[in-house]
Amino acid sequence: MVRVGILGATGYTALEAMKLLLRHPGAQITAVTSRTDKSPLAAVHPQLARRLELSLEDLSIAQLQERCDCVFSCLPHAASAEIAKQLVEVGVRVVDFSADYRLNDPVSYKKWYEHEHPDPARLGNTVYGLPELFREQIPAANLVANPGCYPTSAILPLAPLLKAGLVEPGDIIVDSKSGVSGAGRTPKLGTLYPECNESISAYSVGKHRHQPEIEQILGRVSSATPQIIFTPHLTPMDRGILSVSYSKPTRSVTEAELLEILSDFYKNEPFVRVSKTLPTTKDVAHTNFCDITARVNGGRVLLISVIDNLIKGASGAAVQNFNLMYGFDETTALL
Amino acid sequence: MVRVGILGATGYTALEAMKLLLRHPGAQITAVTSRTDKSPLAAVHPQLARRLELSLEDLSIAQLQERCDCVFSCLPHAASAEIAKQLVEVGVRVVDFSADYRLNDPVSYKKWYEHEHPDPARLGNTVYGLPELFREQIPAANLVANPGCYPTSAILPLAPLLKAGLVEPGDIIVDSKSGVSGAGRTPKLGTLYPECNESISAYSVGKHRHQPEIEQILGRVSSATPQIIFTPHLTPMDRGILSVSYSKPTRSVTEAELLEILSDFYKNEPFVRVSKTLPTTKDVAHTNFCDITARVNGGRVLLISVIDNLIKGASGAAVQNFNLMYGFDETTALL
Amino acid sequence: MVRVGILGATGYTALEAMKLLLRHPGAQITAVTSRTDKSPLAAVHPQLARRLELSLEDLSIAQLQERCDCVFSCLPHAASAEIAKQLVEVGVRVVDFSADYRLNDPVSYKKWYEHEHPDPARLGNTVYGLPELFREQIPAANLVANPGCYPTSAILPLAPLLKAGLVEPGDIIVDSKSGVSGAGRTPKLGTLYPECNESISAYSVGKHRHQPEIEQILGRVSSATPQIIFTPHLTPMDRGILSVSYSKPTRSVTEAELLEILSDFYKNEPFVRVSKTLPTTKDVAHTNFCDITARVNGGRVLLISVIDNLIKGASGAAVQNFNLMYGFDETTALL
Amino acid sequence: MVRVGILGATGYTALEAMKLLLRHPGAQITAVTSRTDKSPLAAVHPQLARRLELSLEDLSIAQLQERCDCVFSCLPHAASAEIAKQLVEVGVRVVDFSADYRLNDPVSYKKWYEHEHPDPARLGNTVYGLPELFREQIPAANLVANPGCYPTSAILPLAPLLKAGLVEPGDIIVDSKSGVSGAGRTPKLGTLYPECNESISAYSVGKHRHQPEIEQILGRVSSATPQIIFTPHLTPMDRGILSVSYSKPTRSVTEAELLEILSDFYKNEPFVRVSKTLPTTKDVAHTNFCDITARVNGGRVLLISVIDNLIKGASGAAVQNFNLMYGFDETTALL
C-alpha cells in the first residue's frame, strides 16, 4: 500500500485527487495538509464525509517523510517547488500539480511567473507527466511535473501532427474554453457566481502562463519550437476544457488522413479517443479521457479536443502518473 | 428633474437601480458613492459604459445634500441608518434598501441584527415601501424602508388571505428559493461559482433575518401577528425568487375562490399578476412583476409567487416608491 | 460474472447504470435495448465510447433470457411491467426503474398512472428496493421495484421518526427541488435549456405520482399511513434532489435528539450520512449517498436531505439492490 | 403610431422584439401570428401577461395588410421570403429576421440553404440592416434583411480594419461562442437542458450558414471578399455571443492604433463601445450594445466582441432598423 500525502488539500484538484485515490486499491491517503486550516477534512469537503476521516495539518518535511511514500503537491507555484525539492531529497516521491517544473529553464520561468525559481537545477530535466508522450520516463521518476490543464488539451491533438511534420509549427492558434473550477477555490470577484454565470469571456489574452508550456513541450516532440497564439476563455460551467487549434498543413491533407494519423498514434492509449464526431466537454466530464477530432476548413487544420480540466487536466493525470511510478496498471482507479 | 444619489453603488442592487433610473424621464443620477473605491463607474459596472459617466466618490452629508434631492441607499444595515438619519434631517429624501427601518422596534432589531439601532426613534414609524399594501403613506414620506426580497415574495400572496381572515396566522410555512445575486457582490467561498453551480441548499434555517420582517409586516394587515417558519434556499441562477407558502384555511375553501380573492385584491395593481397557471421565476425576470397563483392540497392552502429579487425585490420597488414620492406615474421606467 | 441487460438504454438513468456497472467486478453488460434505435451505444452516449462496445437492439424475451441473468429495466411505466412479468417468469431477475411495482394495489396505480396495471398480481407484494428499510427482502427477490428519486429523498429522513412515533403522520409537507435530468431525455419544451435555465418552478403541485409512493412506503414502517403534501420543483441544474420536510413532533423534541435518533437508525448504513450541518446537493453529486440533517423551528421538525437523483435516486440504488441480490458487498462499484 | 405585426410570434426573438416594442412610444403591436398555435399570447409567453393581450392568429396577406404598416418576420428561412415578397408588394414594410435576403445571389443561397430562393430577384439588392455600415440605405427601404447574430458580432469589429486595408482579407479565423437561445425554441435533443448544461461544444464546423454571410457582407466594405474560417460553439448560457477573430495585419500595427481606428470609426455610433478592456457577454446582456476590443498577439490582430444574440443579434437590431425606417430617434426603446 503506497502511502500518499496531499499537500494543499483544500482546493478542487486536491478534492478530485482524493476521490480518485479512495478508489485505488494500492494507495492510502495518510496526510492532508494546509498551512492555515486545521479543520476535519469533511468540514472543508463535505463530499468526503465518512470516506476519509483525516484532519488538515501543517506538517514539516520530517513528518511528511515519516508518513508518506509519495505526495501530490497541490500547492501554488513557487511554494510547491520550495517543498518538493526538500521532499525529493529525503526520498519522498512527488507529483507536482503546480507549474514549477514544467518549463525548460529558469529564465522563461522567471519571465512568466515573475520570481526566481526556488529549485532551478531541476528545471528542464524533470519529467513532464504526460504519459502519452513521455511514458518511458515516468516509472523511474522521483519528481513528476503534472501537466497544466490547457496544455494537456492542446498538446495531445497537436503532438502527432507536429511530430509527423504535417503542420507548420510557426503559425498555430489555440482557442480554449474552460470551466470555472480551473480558476481555483479562493474567493475572488471574477469567479463569483453572478459574475461568471450567464457570461463567457476571454482572459489573459497573450499573457497566459500556459502558452510557454504548450510551446516548450510541443517543442520536445517537434522539429522546431512552435509559436502558439493562445486565447483562454472562462465558460459558465464547473469543469471541462474544449480547445480548438487552427494550424497550417505543410501539404494537402484530408480529414480522413488526419483522423487516421491521430488514431494510429493513440491506438494503444487507454485515455485518448479519436473520433470523427465533434466532442463536447460533457462526453469526458468526470473521466480521464481526452476526446479528439479533426477537420479541414479553409485550408487550415482544425483539431478539437475535450478533457475534464480537473481529471485528465490535473488529478486524473496525477493518478495516471502515480500508477506508472508504482507499477500499477495505468488505468487503476481511472475507469 | 429629481437629482438622485446612489449610496454604495458597487453592488448588484445599485447596478439595477441605476439601469432603471437611466430610463426614467424625471430622474437624473448625480452622485454614486463608495467609501473605498474611486474608480470610474464603468470600471466597476462595464454595463454602464457610455451610459453613466460618473466616478465613485466618498461624499459627506453636506456634499450629498448639495447634489441630491433623494438618495437610494444600498449600504449595509447599520451603516445605512447612520447616514439615512442625517440625510433626512437635512432634507434629502431616502429610499433605504437595507433592513434598518423595516422592523417594528429596536428590541427585535437588536435581537436579529445583533447591534444597537443607530436611529431607534424612527423604527416602527417609517413607511414600509410596499405600495400594494401601504401606498397612501408613501407620497409624503421622507424616508422609505424598501422591502426585503424574500418578504416581498411572501407578503404579497399572504396579505389578502390574512386580511380576509381566510388562513390561520399561527401556522404558516414559507419555503423560498433565491438566485445567488441575493447574496451580494462581496467575494465569499459560499457564492463562488463552483460552490453553488449545480447545487441547491437550504441556509440560515430558522435564523434568517427576513423571518421577523415577514411576520411583523403581515401583522400590520392581519388580526394577529403571524408565526412563520421560513426556509430560504440558494438556487443556481443569477436572479429570481420563488416562494411557496403552506397555510391552514380557517374554513373550507377552493382554488377558484382563492384565485378570485387574490385577483380582486390586486385588480388595480400594475405589478401583481394573479393567474391560475404555475409561475416560473423566468416569467418575471428583469421585470417589476410579482406573479401569484394558489392551490389547495391536502387541506392546506398553497400560495406560489415569483419575483425578480433585484427588481421587485429591491431596485424596481425602490423606483416604484420613488415614483410615488415624486408624483410620477407609478410605472414610470418599470414597464 | 452476472450478465446484465439494460432495457431502454438511451436515457439518463440507463447511462448512469452502465457507468456504474462498468466499474463492477462481478457484472458484465451483455445487452442494451431500444425499440427504435439501432445505433452503436457510443453514438447515443459518447461517454461510453471505447468503454462499452455494444449496439442497441430490439430483443425478444427469449433473446433476453438467453443473454442475461438480470435486467435493469429503464422502460417507461406500463411498458416496463409488461416486459418484467415475462422476464421474471422465464427466470430473468429484474430491477425495475419504473414506478410499476412500487404502489400497494392496482386501484391506486390506476388512479395515479391512469391505466390498468399489466401485472396486478405482483402489486403490493413486490420488494421495494430501499435497502435501508427493506434489506432482508432483497437477496431472494426476483423482481425489485427500484424506488423513485423523490421518494428516496423523502422516505429516508422521515422513516426513523415515523417508526419511533416521533412525528405525526397526518400532517407532513415535503417541499422538494430536483435537477432537470429527472425529467428524462425526451425533448420537450419544458426541459429545453433556455426554458429552465435561470429559472425555478414548482410543477405537478398536488398531482405528482411520487406522492402516493411516499405515503404508501412510509405507511409500511409507520403506525398509520402518512398524509403528505408534496411539492416538487424543477431546478436549473443537471442532477440532485434536495427535500425539506415539515412535520409535527408528537412530543417536545430537540435538534440534538433528532440527530441522535437518525444517526442511530442509520449507524450501520454505508450510504446514509447524518450530520448537523446543512447539506447541499453537490455534497452527494455523482455518489450513492443520502445526507440528512434535522432542525427544530417554530414547533416543527424540519428534515433536510440530499441525494443525486440519478445515483441514489435511481441507478446507484439499482446497483445496491443488484449487489444484495447476487451476494456482492453492498458497496461494490458504488464508492 | 406605426402598427406592427409579428410573424412567427412563438419563438425567442419574437418575444424579445415584442418586449422592446412595448417600450416604444411610436409602435403598436397589432397582430401576432402562428400557423398552428391559436393560444392567447400570454399562454405561450407568460412574460407578456397583462402587457400584450393578443391571441395568436393565422393571418392572410390581406389581413396583415389591413392590420399592419410593418411586420417583423420571425419565420424560418424560405417561409419568410415567401410571405415577405407578397407583403412588400401590397405596401407592408418588412424587417426580415430570417437569412432569406442577406446573401448576394440565389446561387450561394441555394448552396448554403439547400433549396431554390422563393424571391430571387430581390437577393443582392435588399438592404442589409446593419446601421453601423449601411445606415443611409435603411430609411427608404421597404424590406430590410436583419443581420444574423454571429455575423453582427464578427462584422462590426472586422469591417473598419478591412475597410482601412489593415488586415488581410484572405486569412481570417472567427471563433465564436453563443448562448443556447440562438438555437431556437423548437424542442430538440441537442438543446435539452441536461445535454448542453455543463458542456461546451463546437458545431457545424466548416458548414455554418453564417460563414458566407460574414464573407459577403464584409466583401461589400472590403477591397476583396474575405475568406473566413468560422467555428461556432454552443455555450451553456441563455444568451450572448463572444467572437474572437484572428487576422493578419498588412503592416506592423499596435494595440493602441487598432483601438484608435475602431474608436474613430464608431465614434458617433450609439450602440458600439470600443474599449481597451476585455469584454464579457454579461456586459451587454439585455442591451443593444456591441462591445469591442483589440489585441496584438504573436503577429496577429485579435478582435474580441460581445453582443446579446437576441438583442443586437436580432430583435434590438430590428427595432434599430424600424426606428430608421420610420424616422424615430435610432435609440428609441433601446436604452
Side-chain angles (χ1 to χ4, degrees):
Chain A
M1 194 67 84
V2 184
R3 300 167 307 151
V4 184
I6 309 292
L7 309 186
T10 57
Y12 296 128
T13 54
L15 172 59
E16 292 303 313
M18 292 185 279
K19 283 159 63 181
L20 291 172
L21 289 173
L22 284 170
R23 283 198 189 135
H24 199 294
Q28 189 185 3
I29 301 170
T30 52
V32 289
T33 81
S34 163
R35 197 154 296 177
T36 52
D37 197 334
K38 301 290 161 288
S39 316
L41 194 58
V44 174
H45 296 302
Q47 291 173 54
L48 298 179
R50 293 260 303 270
R51 306 226 44 217
L52 187 54
E53 303 202 328
L54 296 173
S55 284
L56 292 163
E57 298 174 271
D58 186 10
L59 298 174
S60 67
I61 298 297
Q63 288 170 309
L64 288 168
Q65 182 187 12
E66 195 183 305
R67 289 228 223 134
C68 309
D69 302 307
C70 174
V71 304
F72 283 13
S73 172
C74 304
L75 299 171
H77 62 83
S80 194
E82 200 65 69
I83 286 183
K85 69 176 176 185
Q86 299 178 64
L87 288 170
V88 170
E89 276 154 25
V90 299
V92 179
R93 297 173 88 181
V94 176
V95 180
D96 183 15
F97 285 51
S98 89
D100 280 346
Y101 294 102
R102 296 178 195 157
L103 296 189
N104 286 344
D105 60 275
V107 174
S108 58
Y109 183 86
K110 190 174 179 187
K111 177 182 163 197
W112 288 91
Y113 289 88
E114 292 170 343
H115 60 91
E116 295 295 333
H117 196 284
D119 186 17
R122 284 191 181 81
L123 256 193
N125 49 44
T126 298
V127 179
Y128 189 79
L130 195 62
E132 291 78 5
L133 297 182
F134 308 107
R135 182 174 287 107
E136 73 287 350
Q137 303 171 31
I138 298 168
N142 290 322
L143 172 61
V144 171
N146 207 47
C149 51
Y150 286 122
T152 294
S153 76
I155 292 167
L156 286 175
L158 282 165
L161 304 192
L162 281 165
K163 212 165 179 175
L166 255 171
V167 296
E168 290 182 11
D171 183 10
I172 300 176
I173 290 162
V174 177
D175 190 291
S176 295
K177 300 88 187 172
S178 172
V180 183
S181 63
R185 208 184 181 197
T186 306
K188 279 175 291 196
L189 181 60
T191 48
L192 209 60
Y193 186 90
E195 297 293 314
C196 47
N197 184 46
E198 281 295 293
S199 198
I200 186 165
S201 57
Y203 68 98
S204 300
V205 177
K207 298 176 191 169
H208 197 283
R209 290 155 168 176
H210 284 177
Q211 181 179 319
E213 183 178 336
I214 300 170
E215 290 173 341
Q216 293 184 13
I217 303 305
L218 281 176
R220 297 182 194 174
V221 298
S222 171
S223 57
T225 299
Q227 301 299 313
I228 307 283
I229 295 174
F230 173 57
T231 309
H233 295 77
L234 196 63
T235 309
M237 57 189 194
D238 275 359
R239 40 167 81 198
I241 287 179
L242 173 85
S243 287
V244 181
S245 68
Y246 301 87
S247 56
K248 270 202 184 136
T250 51
R251 61 168 176 82
S252 176
V253 71
T254 65
E255 192 176 303
E257 244 182 300
L258 293 170
L259 289 170
E260 200 188 321
I261 291 162
L262 289 163
S263 294
D264 200 55
F265 192 93
Y266 289 122
K267 66 174 178 291
N268 296 319
E269 286 301 331
F271 295 118
V272 180
R273 297 187 293 201
V274 178
S275 160
K276 67 182 181 183
T277 61
L278 290 166
T280 83
T281 57
K282 206 161 212 170
D283 297 343
V284 297
H286 297 269
T287 81
N288 201 47
F289 285 103
C290 177
D291 285 4
I292 301 175
T293 195
R295 292 290 183 276
V296 177
N297 183 12
R300 290 257 175 182
V301 167
L302 275 70
L303 297 170
I304 303 173
S305 59
V306 291
I307 60 168
D308 182 318
N309 60 306
L310 294 178
I311 307 293
K312 183 60 179 164
S315 307
V319 172
Q320 196 178 350
N321 283 315
F322 172 86
N323 285 337
L324 290 165
M325 289 163 76
Y326 287 95
F328 297 109
D329 181 283
E330 193 170 333
T331 65
T332 308
L334 292 172
L335 285 179
Chain B
M1 193 69 83
V2 184
R3 298 167 308 151
V4 184
I6 309 293
L7 309 186
T10 58
Y12 296 129
T13 54
L15 172 60
E16 293 304 311
M18 291 185 280
K19 284 159 62 181
L20 292 172
L21 288 173
L22 284 170
R23 282 197 189 137
H24 198 296
Q28 188 186 4
I29 302 169
T30 52
V32 289
T33 81
S34 163
R35 198 154 295 177
T36 53
D37 197 333
K38 301 291 163 290
S39 315
L41 193 58
V44 174
H45 297 302
Q47 290 173 55
L48 297 179
R50 295 262 301 271
R51 305 226 43 216
L52 187 54
E53 304 203 327
L54 296 173
S55 285
L56 293 162
E57 299 175 89
D58 185 10
L59 298 174
S60 67
I61 299 296
Q63 288 170 309
L64 287 168
Q65 181 187 14
E66 196 183 306
R67 289 226 224 137
C68 309
D69 303 307
C70 175
V71 304
F72 283 14
S73 173
C74 304
L75 299 171
H77 61 83
S80 195
E82 200 64 69
I83 285 182
K85 70 177 176 186
Q86 299 178 63
L87 287 170
V88 169
E89 277 154 24
V90 299
V92 178
R93 299 172 87 179
V94 176
V95 180
D96 183 16
F97 284 52
S98 89
D100 279 346
Y101 294 101
R102 297 178 194 157
L103 296 188
N104 285 343
D105 60 274
V107 174
S108 57
Y109 183 86
K110 190 175 180 186
K111 177 182 163 198
W112 287 91
Y113 291 87
E114 293 170 341
H115 60 91
E116 296 294 335
H117 197 284
D119 185 19
R122 285 191 181 83
L123 258 192
N125 51 44
T126 297
V127 179
Y128 189 78
L130 194 62
E132 290 79 6
L133 297 182
F134 308 106
R135 180 172 288 109
E136 72 289 349
Q137 303 171 31
I138 298 169
N142 288 323
L143 172 61
V144 172
N146 208 48
C149 51
Y150 286 122
T152 295
S153 76
I155 293 166
L156 287 174
L158 282 164
L161 304 193
L162 282 165
K163 212 164 179 176
L166 256 170
V167 296
E168 289 181 12
D171 184 9
I172 300 176
I173 290 163
V174 177
D175 190 291
S176 295
K177 299 89 186 172
S178 171
V180 183
S181 62
R185 207 186 181 194
T186 305
K188 280 175 291 195
L189 181 60
T191 48
L192 209 60
Y193 187 91
E195 297 294 313
C196 46
N197 185 47
E198 282 295 294
S199 199
I200 187 165
S201 56
Y203 68 98
S204 299
V205 177
K207 299 176 190 168
H208 198 283
R209 290 157 168 174
H210 285 176
Q211 181 178 320
E213 183 178 336
I214 300 170
E215 290 173 341
Q216 293 184 12
I217 303 304
L218 282 175
R220 298 183 193 174
V221 298
S222 174
S223 57
T225 298
Q227 302 298 313
I228 307 283
I229 295 174
F230 173 58
T231 309
H233 296 76
L234 195 63
T235 309
M237 58 188 193
D238 275 358
R239 41 167 82 198
I241 287 179
L242 173 86
S243 288
V244 181
S245 68
Y246 301 87
S247 56
K248 270 202 185 136
T250 52
R251 60 166 175 84
S252 175
V253 71
T254 65
E255 189 177 304
E257 244 183 300
L258 292 170
L259 289 171
E260 199 187 322
I261 290 161
L262 290 163
S263 294
D264 200 54
F265 192 92
Y266 289 123
K267 66 174 179 289
N268 297 318
E269 285 302 332
F271 295 118
V272 180
R273 298 185 294 201
V274 178
S275 161
K276 65 180 179 183
T277 61
L278 290 166
T280 83
T281 57
K282 206 160 212 171
D283 296 345
V284 296
H286 298 269
T287 80
N288 200 49
F289 285 102
C290 176
D291 285 4
I292 301 174
T293 195
R295 293 288 183 278
V296 177
N297 184 14
R300 290 258 175 182
V301 167
L302 275 69
L303 297 170
I304 303 173
S305 59
V306 291
I307 61 168
D308 182 318
N309 61 306
L310 294 178
I311 306 293
K312 184 59 179 166
S315 307
V319 172
Q320 195 178 350
N321 283 314
F322 172 86
N323 286 336
L324 289 164
M325 289 163 77
Y326 287 96
F328 297 109
D329 181 283
E330 193 170 333
T331 66
T332 307
L334 293 172
L335 286 179
Chain C
M1 194 68 82
V2 184
R3 298 167 307 151
V4 184
I6 308 292
L7 310 186
T10 57
Y12 295 130
T13 55
L15 172 60
E16 292 304 311
M18 292 184 278
K19 284 160 62 181
L20 292 171
L21 288 174
L22 284 171
R23 283 196 189 137
H24 199 296
Q28 188 187 1
I29 301 170
T30 51
V32 289
T33 81
S34 164
R35 196 153 299 176
T36 53
D37 197 333
K38 301 290 163 286
S39 315
L41 194 58
V44 173
H45 296 302
Q47 292 173 54
L48 297 179
R50 294 259 304 268
R51 306 226 43 217
L52 187 54
E53 303 202 327
L54 295 172
S55 285
L56 293 163
E57 298 174 272
D58 186 10
L59 298 174
S60 67
I61 298 296
Q63 287 170 311
L64 287 167
Q65 180 187 13
E66 194 184 307
R67 289 226 223 136
C68 308
D69 303 307
C70 175
V71 305
F72 283 14
S73 171
C74 304
L75 299 172
H77 63 82
S80 195
E82 199 65 67
I83 285 183
K85 69 176 177 186
Q86 299 179 64
L87 287 170
V88 169
E89 277 154 25
V90 298
V92 179
R93 298 173 87 181
V94 176
V95 180
D96 182 15
F97 285 52
S98 89
D100 280 346
Y101 294 101
R102 298 178 194 157
L103 296 189
N104 286 344
D105 60 274
V107 174
S108 59
Y109 182 86
K110 188 173 180 188
K111 177 182 162 197
W112 287 92
Y113 290 87
E114 293 168 342
H115 60 91
E116 296 296 333
H117 196 284
D119 185 20
R122 286 192 180 82
L123 258 192
N125 49 44
T126 297
V127 179
Y128 189 78
L130 195 62
E132 291 78 7
L133 297 183
F134 309 106
R135 181 173 288 108
E136 70 290 349
Q137 302 171 31
I138 299 169
N142 289 321
L143 171 62
V144 172
N146 208 47
C149 51
Y150 286 122
T152 294
S153 76
I155 292 167
L156 287 174
L158 282 164
L161 305 192
L162 282 166
K163 212 163 177 175
L166 255 170
V167 297
E168 290 180 13
D171 183 9
I172 299 176
I173 290 163
V174 177
D175 189 292
S176 296
K177 300 88 185 171
S178 171
V180 183
S181 62
R185 207 184 181 195
T186 305
K188 280 175 291 195
L189 181 61
T191 49
L192 208 60
Y193 186 91
E195 297 293 313
C196 46
N197 184 46
E198 283 293 292
S199 198
I200 187 165
S201 56
Y203 68 98
S204 299
V205 176
K207 298 177 191 169
H208 197 283
R209 291 158 167 173
H210 284 176
Q211 181 178 318
E213 183 179 336
I214 300 171
E215 290 173 342
Q216 293 185 12
I217 304 303
L218 282 174
R220 298 183 192 173
V221 299
S222 175
S223 58
T225 298
Q227 301 299 312
I228 306 283
I229 295 174
F230 173 57
T231 310
H233 295 76
L234 195 64
T235 309
M237 58 190 194
D238 274 359
R239 38 167 83 198
I241 287 179
L242 174 84
S243 287
V244 181
S245 68
Y246 302 87
S247 56
K248 269 201 185 136
T250 51
R251 61 167 175 83
S252 176
V253 72
T254 66
E255 190 177 304
E257 243 182 300
L258 292 171
L259 289 170
E260 201 188 321
I261 291 162
L262 289 164
S263 294
D264 201 54
F265 192 92
Y266 290 122
K267 66 173 179 290
N268 296 319
E269 286 301 332
F271 296 118
V272 180
R273 299 186 293 201
V274 177
S275 162
K276 66 180 180 184
T277 60
L278 291 166
T280 81
T281 56
K282 206 162 212 169
D283 297 344
V284 297
H286 298 269
T287 80
N288 200 48
F289 285 103
C290 176
D291 285 5
I292 300 175
T293 195
R295 294 289 183 276
V296 177
N297 185 14
R300 289 259 175 182
V301 167
L302 275 68
L303 297 169
I304 304 174
S305 59
V306 291
I307 61 168
D308 183 318
N309 60 307
L310 294 179
I311 307 293
K312 185 59 178 165
S315 307
V319 171
Q320 196 178 349
N321 283 315
F322 172 86
N323 287 335
L324 289 164
M325 289 163 77
Y326 287 95
F328 297 108
D329 182 282
E330 193 170 332
T331 66
T332 308
L334 292 173
L335 286 178
Chain D
M1 195 67 84
V2 183
R3 300 167 307 152
V4 184
I6 308 292
L7 310 186
T10 57
Y12 295 129
T13 54
L15 172 60
E16 292 304 311
M18 291 185 280
K19 283 159 63 181
L20 291 172
L21 288 174
L22 284 170
R23 284 197 188 135
H24 199 296
Q28 189 187 1
I29 301 170
T30 52
V32 289
T33 81
S34 164
R35 197 153 296 175
T36 53
D37 196 333
K38 301 291 160 288
S39 315
L41 194 57
V44 174
H45 298 301
Q47 291 173 53
L48 298 179
R50 292 261 303 269
R51 305 224 46 215
L52 186 54
E53 304 203 325
L54 296 172
S55 285
L56 292 163
E57 299 175 89
D58 186 11
L59 298 174
S60 67
I61 299 295
Q63 286 170 311
L64 288 167
Q65 182 187 13
E66 194 182 309
R67 289 227 223 135
C68 309
D69 303 307
C70 176
V71 304
F72 283 13
S73 172
C74 304
L75 299 171
H77 62 84
S80 195
E82 198 65 67
I83 286 183
K85 70 178 177 185
Q86 298 178 63
L87 287 170
V88 169
E89 276 154 24
V90 298
V92 179
R93 298 172 87 180
V94 176
V95 180
D96 182 16
F97 285 51
S98 89
D100 280 346
Y101 295 101
R102 297 178 193 157
L103 296 189
N104 286 343
D105 60 274
V107 174
S108 58
Y109 182 86
K110 190 174 179 187
K111 176 181 163 198
W112 288 90
Y113 289 87
E114 293 169 340
H115 61 90
E116 296 294 333
H117 196 286
D119 186 18
R122 284 190 180 83
L123 258 193
N125 50 44
T126 297
V127 178
Y128 189 79
L130 195 62
E132 290 78 6
L133 296 183
F134 308 106
R135 181 174 286 109
E136 71 288 349
Q137 303 171 30
I138 299 168
N142 289 323
L143 171 62
V144 172
N146 208 47
C149 51
Y150 286 122
T152 294
S153 77
I155 292 167
L156 287 174
L158 282 164
L161 304 193
L162 282 166
K163 212 164 177 175
L166 255 170
V167 297
E168 289 182 12
D171 184 10
I172 299 176
I173 290 162
V174 176
D175 190 290
S176 295
K177 298 89 186 172
S178 171
V180 183
S181 62
R185 207 183 181 196
T186 305
K188 279 174 293 197
L189 180 61
T191 49
L192 209 59
Y193 186 90
E195 298 293 313
C196 47
N197 185 45
E198 283 294 292
S199 198
I200 187 166
S201 57
Y203 68 98
S204 300
V205 177
K207 299 177 191 168
H208 197 283
R209 289 157 169 175
H210 284 175
Q211 181 178 319
E213 184 178 336
I214 300 171
E215 290 174 341
Q216 293 184 13
I217 304 303
L218 282 175
R220 298 182 193 175
V221 297
S222 173
S223 58
T225 298
Q227 301 299 314
I228 306 284
I229 295 174
F230 173 58
T231 309
H233 295 76
L234 195 64
T235 308
M237 57 188 195
D238 275 359
R239 38 167 84 198
I241 287 179
L242 173 85
S243 288
V244 181
S245 67
Y246 301 87
S247 55
K248 271 202 183 133
T250 50
R251 61 167 176 83
S252 176
V253 71
T254 66
E255 190 176 306
E257 242 182 300
L258 292 171
L259 289 170
E260 201 188 321
I261 290 162
L262 290 163
S263 294
D264 201 55
F265 191 92
Y266 289 122
K267 67 174 179 290
N268 296 319
E269 286 301 330
F271 295 118
V272 180
R273 299 186 292 201
V274 177
S275 162
K276 66 180 179 183
T277 60
L278 290 166
T280 82
T281 56
K282 207 162 211 169
D283 297 343
V284 297
H286 297 269
T287 80
N288 200 48
F289 285 103
C290 177
D291 285 5
I292 300 174
T293 195
R295 293 291 183 274
V296 177
N297 184 14
R300 290 258 175 181
V301 167
L302 275 69
L303 297 170
I304 304 174
S305 59
V306 291
I307 61 168
D308 182 318
N309 61 305
L310 294 179
I311 308 294
K312 184 60 178 165
S315 307
V319 172
Q320 196 178 350
N321 283 315
F322 172 86
N323 286 336
L324 289 165
M325 288 163 78
Y326 287 95
F328 295 110
D329 182 284
E330 192 170 333
T331 65
T332 308
L334 294 172
L335 287 179

